[in-house]
């Protein structure tokens, strides 16, 4: 029998800046599926694989960086941890903090967190502080708290988060046996694009792979500071996870774009929601809106004729669809609204079978 997956720290420890005696605080994160998409492959006339990060323990890629951040915090003797979040960071942080016996403090923009993510933080026993402000304000507050009080900051401005998140690139290259030609992902606070690029670069430098992918990042049009080249004071998008106007890893993201010969562009909310629906209906992969942003970008680029045929392309979908069912149901079709009696003919009629 193959050995069970041990979580990203034990699977990739030699690639991480941990001494051997640092204990891994883990929920078995990583090892997520890389699913071939016939639909997207046909659209781009190449081979497209979807990295399904919603399969992580708390339903998003954040778990990769949180196992490393919480393990480091414990090793350094921290008793409490703080983060700002649009939802997924807090869902992940509170889970790992609970496991490690640390007190979690969460700062979120008031009324702008998807219900599923809020429920996660609640169930993990966090102190949740809702702030009259946006994510960027929450991050400023978290930094202030960590500076003046004995709490460890576990946002992705903490470099150990990036170290954990880079393992997604390793997994992709391990499964493909090489680096893809192009990697596509959503961009919010820009930690993940930074992490993916770092992982691909390290694998090539060590000779595990012989090339690096171009990196294409996509922001939501209402929250696209990197594309516009200026801070967006009041970011707005249906993809609440990436409603961020002043990304902390802005320069690192530009670096990933430029060094890889890639691009960072934006897509409209309608394109994000359409990509989310199609991914669910065509491939059986249900993601939250922000997570569909990379797919939306890939579709737009293909429609514009910007993708040469024959490429191997990987796309990260970052978080599970169940986190934000309100948005999903707000765009539901008519079928959900049909209510019938217990009658086969009526069921057949409604289902369009006759
Ligand atoms: C589903 O949880 O910033 O560019 O506070 O939840 O690394 O920020 C979430 C970000 C993409 C963007 N997809 O990643 C938070 C938070 C989903 C996300 C992103 C986020 P980054």
């Amino acid at each position: 029998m193959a050995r069970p997956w041990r979580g990203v720290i034990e699977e990739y420890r030699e690639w991480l800046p941990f001494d051997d005696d640092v204990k891994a605080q883990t929920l078995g994160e990583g090892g997520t599926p890389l699913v071939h998409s016939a639909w997207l492959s046909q659209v781009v006339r190449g081979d497209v694989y979807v990295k399904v990060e919603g399969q992580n323990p708390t339903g998003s890629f954040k778990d990769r960086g949180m196992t490393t951040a919480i393990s480091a915090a414990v090793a350094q003797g921290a008793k409490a941890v703080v983060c700002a979040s649009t939802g997924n960071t807090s869902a992940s942080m509170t889970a790992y903090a609970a496991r490690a016996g640390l007190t979690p403090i969460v700062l979120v923009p008031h009324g702008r967190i998807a219900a599923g993510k809020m429920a996660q933080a609640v169930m993990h026993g966090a102190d949740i502080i809702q702030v009259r402000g946006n994510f960027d304000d929450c991050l400023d507050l978290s930094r202030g708290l960590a500076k003046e009080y004995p709490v460890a900051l576990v946002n992705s401005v903490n470099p150990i988060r990036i170290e954990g998140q880079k393992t997604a690139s390793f997994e992709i290259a391990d499964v493909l046996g090489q680096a893809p030609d192009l990697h596509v992902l959503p961009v919010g606070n820009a930690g993940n694009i930074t992490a993916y690029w770092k992982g691909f670069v390290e694998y090539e430098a060590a000779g595990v792979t012989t090339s690096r992918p171009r990196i294409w990042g996509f922001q939501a049009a209402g929250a696209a500071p990197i594309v516009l080249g200026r801070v967006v004071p009041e970011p707005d998008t249906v993809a609440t996870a990436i409603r961020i106007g002043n990304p902390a890893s802005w320069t690192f993201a530009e670096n990933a774009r430029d060094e890889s010969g890639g691009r960072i562009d934006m897509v409209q909310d309608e394109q994000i929601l359409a990509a989310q629906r199609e991914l669910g209906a065509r491939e059986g992969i249900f993601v939250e809106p922000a997570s569909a942003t990379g797919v939306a970008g890939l579709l737009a680029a293909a429609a514009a004729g910007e993708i040469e045929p024959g490429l191997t392309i990987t796309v990260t979908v970052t978080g599970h669809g169940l986190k934000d069912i309100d948005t999903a149901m707000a765009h539901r079709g008519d079928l959900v609204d049909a209510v019938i009696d217990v009658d086969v003919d009526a069921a057949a009629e409604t289902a369009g079978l006759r």
Side-chain angles (χ1 to χ4, degrees), residues 59-62 83-91 107 117 135 155-156 161-162 165 185-194 219 240-244 247 249 288-293 317-320 323:
S60 87
F61 71 98
K62 302 285 182 185
C83 72
S85 184
T86 57
N88 279 323
T89 298
S90 55
L107 295 155
K117 301 172 189 179
F135 169 83
N155 279 105
S156 59
R161 281 274 312 280
I162 304 299
Q165 285 176 209
L185 79 174
V187 175
N189 209 29
N192 215 27
I193 189 171
T194 303
Q219 304 197 287
T240 53
I242 52 172
R243 190 173 160 268
I244 295 173
S249 298
E288 63 170 290
S291 304
T293 304
V317 293
T318 41
H320 203 289
K323 285 175 173 276

Side-chain angles (χ1 to χ4, degrees), residues 143 156-157 162 187-195 197-198 215 219 225-227 229-231 244-260 263-264:
R143 286 174 138 146
S156 59
V157 292
I162 304 299
V187 175
N189 209 29
N192 215 27
I193 189 171
T194 303
W197 181 236
K198 187 163 199 287
I215 305 282
Q219 304 197 287
I226 301 177
V227 182
R230 57 177 163 80
V231 170
I244 295 173
N246 188 12
S249 298
W250 190 320
T251 321
F252 293 124
E254 288 179 335
N255 182 53
R257 175 194 66 195
D258 298 342
E259 278 188 8
S260 76
R263 65 194 272 196
I264 297 177

Side-chain angles (χ1 to χ4, degrees), residues 165-166 168-170 172 179-188 190-202 211-219 226-227 249-250 252-265 294 297-298 301 307-308 311-316:
Q165 285 176 209
K166 77 185 179 187
S169 297
F170 297 165
I172 288 171
D181 299 309
L182 173 61
H183 184 77
V184 186
L185 79 174
V187 175
N192 215 27
I193 189 171
T194 303
Y196 269 82
W197 181 236
K198 187 163 199 287
F200 284 125
V201 166
E202 287 183 8
S211 63
R212 309 157 170 187
R214 280 178 274 159
I215 305 282
W216 285 9
F218 289 94
Q219 304 197 287
I226 301 177
V227 182
S249 298
W250 190 320
F252 293 124
E254 288 179 335
N255 182 53
R257 175 194 66 195
D258 298 342
E259 278 188 8
S260 76
R263 65 194 272 196
I264 297 177
D265 224 317
L298 186 69
I307 303 176
E308 65 270 33
L311 299 182
T312 297
I313 302 174
T314 49
V315 192
T316 297

